[in-house]
Amino acid sequence: MLYFAYGSNLHHFQMKRRCKDSVFLKKINLKDFKLTFRSKYRAADIEPKKNSIVPGGLFEISKSDEKKLDVYEDFPILYKKHYFFYYGKKVMTYTMVKKSPFKFPTERYLNVVKRGYRDCKLDNKFLIKALHY
Protein backbone atom coordinates (compact mmCIF):
# COMPACT_ATOMS: atom_id res chain seq x y z
CA MET A 1 0.00 0.00 0.00
CA LEU A 2 1.05 3.63 -0.40
CA TYR A 3 1.68 5.83 2.63
CA PHE A 4 2.21 9.61 2.74
CA ALA A 5 4.67 10.50 5.48
CA TYR A 6 5.20 13.90 7.07
CA GLY A 7 6.70 14.89 10.41
CA SER A 8 9.02 12.39 12.06
CA ASN A 9 8.13 9.59 9.63
CA LEU A 10 10.05 11.43 6.89
CA HIS A 11 13.29 10.42 8.66
CA HIS A 12 14.39 7.41 6.58
CA PHE A 13 16.27 5.55 9.33
CA GLN A 14 13.43 6.03 11.80
CA MET A 15 10.83 4.99 9.22
CA LYS A 16 12.82 1.84 8.41
CA ARG A 17 13.05 1.05 12.11
CA ARG A 18 9.28 1.45 12.50
CA CYS A 19 8.39 -0.25 9.23
CA LYS A 20 10.99 -2.78 8.10
CA ASP A 21 9.34 -3.36 4.71
CA SER A 22 8.95 0.35 3.87
CA VAL A 23 10.47 1.71 0.67
CA PHE A 24 10.80 5.43 0.00
CA LEU A 25 9.49 6.08 -3.50
CA LYS A 26 9.60 9.84 -3.99
CA LYS A 27 8.76 13.22 -2.55
CA ILE A 28 5.24 14.49 -3.23
CA ASN A 29 3.03 17.40 -2.20
CA LEU A 30 -0.36 17.00 -0.54
CA LYS A 31 -2.47 19.87 -1.87
CA ASP A 32 -5.05 21.86 0.08
CA PHE A 33 -3.54 20.88 3.45
CA LYS A 34 -1.15 22.65 5.79
CA LEU A 35 1.37 21.37 8.31
CA THR A 36 1.07 22.22 11.99
CA PHE A 37 2.19 20.89 15.37
CA ARG A 38 -0.24 20.21 18.20
CA SER A 39 -1.42 18.15 21.16
CA LYS A 40 0.38 17.51 24.42
CA TYR A 41 2.92 15.55 22.34
CA ARG A 42 3.70 18.62 20.18
CA ALA A 43 3.62 16.30 17.18
CA ALA A 44 3.11 17.05 13.51
CA ASP A 45 -0.38 17.13 12.10
CA ILE A 46 -2.00 18.18 8.85
CA GLU A 47 -5.28 19.99 8.41
CA PRO A 48 -7.27 21.11 5.38
CA LYS A 49 -6.37 24.56 4.03
CA LYS A 50 -7.16 25.71 0.51
CA ASN A 51 -4.22 26.71 -1.68
CA SER A 52 -1.65 25.26 0.75
CA ILE A 53 0.61 22.24 0.40
CA VAL A 54 2.34 19.81 2.71
CA PRO A 55 5.51 18.33 1.25
CA GLY A 56 6.06 14.74 2.24
CA GLY A 57 7.43 11.37 1.35
CA LEU A 58 5.57 8.67 -0.53
CA PHE A 59 6.43 5.23 0.85
CA GLU A 60 5.34 1.77 -0.10
CA ILE A 61 4.52 -0.19 3.06
CA SER A 62 3.27 -3.69 3.84
CA LYS A 63 0.16 -4.63 5.83
CA SER A 64 2.37 -5.50 8.82
CA ASP A 65 4.02 -2.07 8.50
CA GLU A 66 0.58 -0.46 8.55
CA LYS A 67 -0.26 -2.32 11.76
CA LYS A 68 3.00 -1.10 13.35
CA LEU A 69 2.30 2.47 12.25
CA ASP A 70 -1.22 2.19 13.71
CA VAL A 71 0.32 1.35 17.08
CA TYR A 72 2.98 4.07 16.82
CA GLU A 73 0.42 6.71 15.77
CA ASP A 74 -2.03 5.59 18.51
CA PHE A 75 -4.70 4.92 15.89
CA PRO A 76 -7.63 5.56 16.27
CA ILE A 77 -7.26 7.51 19.55
CA LEU A 78 -4.68 10.19 18.64
CA TYR A 79 -4.63 9.86 14.84
CA LYS A 80 -7.21 8.73 12.30
CA LYS A 81 -6.59 7.58 8.76
CA HIS A 82 -7.08 9.88 5.81
CA TYR A 83 -7.06 8.64 2.22
CA PHE A 84 -6.44 10.54 -0.99
CA PHE A 85 -5.57 9.68 -4.56
CA TYR A 86 -2.24 10.40 -6.21
CA TYR A 87 -2.23 9.77 -9.96
CA GLY A 88 -5.14 7.37 -9.53
CA LYS A 89 -3.54 5.40 -6.68
CA LYS A 90 -5.00 5.35 -3.17
CA VAL A 91 -2.65 6.76 -0.51
CA MET A 92 -3.08 6.61 3.27
CA THR A 93 -1.87 9.13 5.82
CA TYR A 94 -2.77 10.09 9.38
CA THR A 95 -4.40 13.21 10.81
CA MET A 96 -5.02 14.01 14.46
CA VAL A 97 -8.50 13.32 15.76
CA LYS A 98 -8.62 16.33 18.12
CA LYS A 99 -7.51 19.63 16.65
CA SER A 100 -5.86 21.35 19.60
CA PRO A 101 -4.00 24.67 19.33
CA PHE A 102 -0.49 24.95 17.91
CA LYS A 103 2.31 23.71 20.22
CA PHE A 104 5.93 24.28 19.28
CA PRO A 105 7.67 20.88 18.94
CA THR A 106 10.49 19.78 21.23
CA GLU A 107 14.00 20.35 19.93
CA ARG A 108 14.60 16.59 19.68
CA TYR A 109 11.43 15.98 17.66
CA LEU A 110 12.09 18.99 15.44
CA ASN A 111 15.61 17.73 14.69
CA VAL A 112 14.15 14.38 13.57
CA VAL A 113 11.68 16.19 11.30
CA LYS A 114 14.46 18.40 9.86
CA ARG A 115 16.54 15.29 9.13
CA GLY A 116 13.53 13.79 7.38
CA TYR A 117 13.22 16.88 5.20
CA ARG A 118 16.86 16.42 4.19
CA ASP A 119 16.39 12.65 3.65
CA CYS A 120 13.47 13.29 1.28
CA LYS A 121 15.05 16.40 -0.30
CA LEU A 122 12.07 18.56 0.68
CA ASP A 123 11.96 22.35 0.67
CA ASN A 124 12.00 23.31 4.35
CA LYS A 125 10.28 26.67 3.73
CA PHE A 126 6.98 24.87 4.45
CA LEU A 127 8.38 23.55 7.73
CA ILE A 128 9.60 27.02 8.69
CA LYS A 129 6.18 28.47 7.85
CA ALA A 130 4.47 25.85 10.05
CA LEU A 131 6.76 26.79 12.98
CA HIS A 132 6.01 30.53 12.74
CA TYR A 133 2.35 30.74 13.58
Side-chain angles (χ1 to χ4, degrees):
M1 78 179 291
L2 296 175
Y3 167 64
F4 175 77
Y6 63 93
S8 65
N9 287 344
L10 292 170
H11 189 295
H12 287 189
F13 178 77
Q14 188 160 288
M15 184 63 177
K16 201 60 155 167
R17 200 169 56 203
R18 290 177 186 158
C19 301
K20 68 177 177 57
D21 298 328
S22 67
V23 176
F24 174 73
L25 301 175
K26 64 195 278 184
K27 62 182 181 176
I28 67 169
N29 292 324
L30 178 58
K31 294 180 179 156
D32 295 326
F33 276 83
K34 75 171 188 168
L35 177 67
T36 190
F37 296 86
R38 59 171 44 112
S39 88
K40 66 181 181 184
Y41 304 105
R42 304 193 233 172
D45 186 26
I46 55 174
E47 62 185 25
K49 182 164 190 216
K50 286 283 182 205
N51 301 317
S52 290
I53 63 168
V54 176
L58 185 65
F59 287 82
E60 188 168 4
I61 63 171
S62 66
K63 266 303 197 192
S64 65
D65 285 341
E66 181 185 11
K67 286 181 171 62
K68 288 174 187 159
L69 275 177
D70 285 351
V71 171
Y72 176 78
E73 301 294 354
D74 198 12
F75 168 81
I77 308 303
L78 183 62
Y79 284 91
K80 63 184 177 180
K81 292 183 182 179
H82 173 80
Y83 296 92
F84 63 94
F85 286 89
Y86 179 75
Y87 290 100
K89 297 197 176 189
K90 190 174 181 181
V91 180
M92 186 272 292
T93 193
Y94 295 94
T95 65
M96 280 192 183
V97 174
K98 293 185 178 141
K99 302 297 187 190
S100 62
F102 173 81
K103 299 259 186 173
F104 200 87
T106 63
E107 186 176 347
R108 182 190 162 286
Y109 181 80
L110 185 54
N111 285 336
V112 170
V113 174
K114 285 178 180 177
R115 176 58 199 258
Y117 267 67
R118 285 192 303 273
D119 287 352
C120 295
K121 296 178 177 35
L122 300 174
D123 185 344
N124 70 356
K125 75 178 182 184
F126 297 96
L127 176 59
I128 292 166
K129 184 177 180 183
L131 295 169
H132 292 93
Y133 244 71

